[in-house]
Amino acid sequence: MARFTLGSVAGKAALIGALMLGGCGLLPEQIDETTGWNAQRLYSEAKTSMSEGAYDRAIQMFEKLEARYPYGRYAQQAQIEVAYAYYKQGEQALALAAADRFIKLHPNHPNVDYVYYLKGLVNFNEDLGLLAGLSRQDLSERDPKGAHEAFESFRDLVTRFPESRYADDSRARMQYLINSLAAHEVHVARYYYNRGAYVAAINRAQTAVANFPQAPVNEEALFLLVKSYDALGMTQLRDDADRVMRTNFPDSVYFSGGPESDKPWWQLW
């Protein structure tokens, strides 16, 4: 029978270790293809990867560029490109972090207006429009935080850089966001009203009217105010809301939405 002593075990372990270390030399080494590349070539290769949709590789290239050549226009542009690549990947948090880092490091950079615009795009919730209709998801189920943050980013851009090439588009998106946020408040107000929570419905409808006075959905917000005040027996406030609605929406569909009756219009519903 074979005898295993401490020495023999140690010797075998040493032999195995030597073989493993020696075997490593037989494996193909990982070679960094970018070794020796200058900043221009790294940037060019990263942009090519971006155009091909290879965002992971592009990010790696841009990060290598910044690490090897931290000073100069290529490194600064690489920081912007990394934020955009994360945005295209759907990595919202990483994109925002990269954008914030650039703004902090280069507040006076000639392209910093684009980075503010990019922050707005990252948060811009486009599915409040067409995709919401396709998914049939209620606005009340959505968190408006992203819309608020997108609005703030776009507002920063148009305030700081009113002549920016991105300012007009930012203003258009801000208006869309205002209408979407107002619609969210009215949708929630309608939800509360349909469940008999009239005080909560009044609060949300008032929020829409006060915070988004030019939003088209305020027609329904005022309608919900009138209906909710009427349900609570608060006739003076009901009449005040009715007067405001008739002044601002004299041709409202809510005035003619019921059968012929001698009752006030809000009792037709």
Side-chain angles (χ1 to χ4, degrees), residues 33 37 41-62 85 88:
E33 62 176 339
W37 289 9
R41 183 175 180 185
L42 278 168
Y43 183 80
S44 177
E45 289 290 333
K47 289 290 287 184
T48 299
S49 296
M50 287 274 282
S51 64
E52 295 172 351
Y55 299 114
D56 283 333
R57 184 174 187 274
I59 291 169
Q60 291 175 0
M61 292 284 187
F62 286 129
K88 294 296 288 183

Side-chain angles (χ1 to χ4, degrees), residues 196-211:
Y198 302 119
V199 174
I202 289 170
N203 290 336
R204 299 308 287 260
Q206 286 178 334
T207 297
V209 173
N211 293 345

Side-chain angles (χ1 to χ4, degrees), residues 189 192-204 224-225 227-232:
Y192 284 134
Y193 175 81
N194 290 336
R195 284 153 182 78
Y198 302 119
V199 174
I202 289 170
N203 290 336
R204 299 308 287 260
L224 290 169
L225 283 174
K227 289 283 291 177
S228 297
Y229 284 135
D230 185 58
L232 294 173

Side-chain angles (χ1 to χ4, degrees), residues 167-188:
D168 287 342
D169 186 70
S170 295
R171 293 186 186 98
R173 291 177 186 271
M174 287 171 66
Q175 187 59 54
Y176 174 86
L177 288 166
I178 286 173
N179 292 340
S180 297
L181 290 167
H184 171 81
E185 296 296 333
V186 173
H187 187 89
V188 176

Side-chain angles (χ1 to χ4, degrees), residues 119-120 123-124 145-158 170-171 173-179 181 212:
K119 282 187 64 178
N123 282 312
F124 188 71
K145 178 182 177 182
H148 282 290
E149 292 179 350
F151 183 86
E152 292 300 323
S153 295
F154 290 134
R155 184 167 65 178
D156 282 345
L157 169 61
V158 300
S170 295
R171 293 186 186 98
R173 291 177 186 271
M174 287 171 66
Q175 187 59 54
Y176 174 86
L177 288 166
I178 286 173
N179 292 340
L181 290 167
F212 313 104

Side-chain angles (χ1 to χ4, degrees), residues 48-154:
T48 299
S49 296
M50 287 274 282
S51 64
E52 295 172 351
Y55 299 114
D56 283 333
R57 184 174 187 274
I59 291 169
Q60 291 175 0
M61 292 284 187
F62 286 129
E63 289 177 344
K64 286 181 180 180
L65 191 161
E66 185 184 358
R68 295 178 188 175
Y69 307 98
Y71 307 107
R73 63 187 183 92
Y74 282 113
Q76 294 175 4
Q77 187 62 32
Q79 294 170 10
I80 299 176
E81 299 288 358
V82 166
Y84 179 73
Y86 279 130
Y87 162 63
K88 294 296 288 183
Q89 273 191 321
E91 296 287 353
Q92 182 184 46
L94 293 174
L96 291 174
D100 286 333
R101 175 174 179 261
F102 181 86
I103 292 172
K104 183 177 180 180
L105 292 174
H106 313 289
N108 299 316
H109 191 277
N111 293 330
V112 74
D113 59 333
Y114 168 75
V115 182
Y116 279 103
Y117 178 69
L118 180 60
K119 282 187 64 178
L121 289 182
V122 171
N123 282 312
F124 188 71
N125 195 2
E126 293 184 346
D127 65 359
L128 286 173
L130 175 62
L131 295 182
L134 294 176
S135 65
R136 299 183 179 180
Q137 184 183 20
D138 289 343
L139 278 173
S140 59
E141 297 176 1
R142 301 176 186 273
D143 183 359
K145 178 182 177 182
H148 282 290
E149 292 179 350
F151 183 86
E152 292 300 323
S153 295
F154 290 134

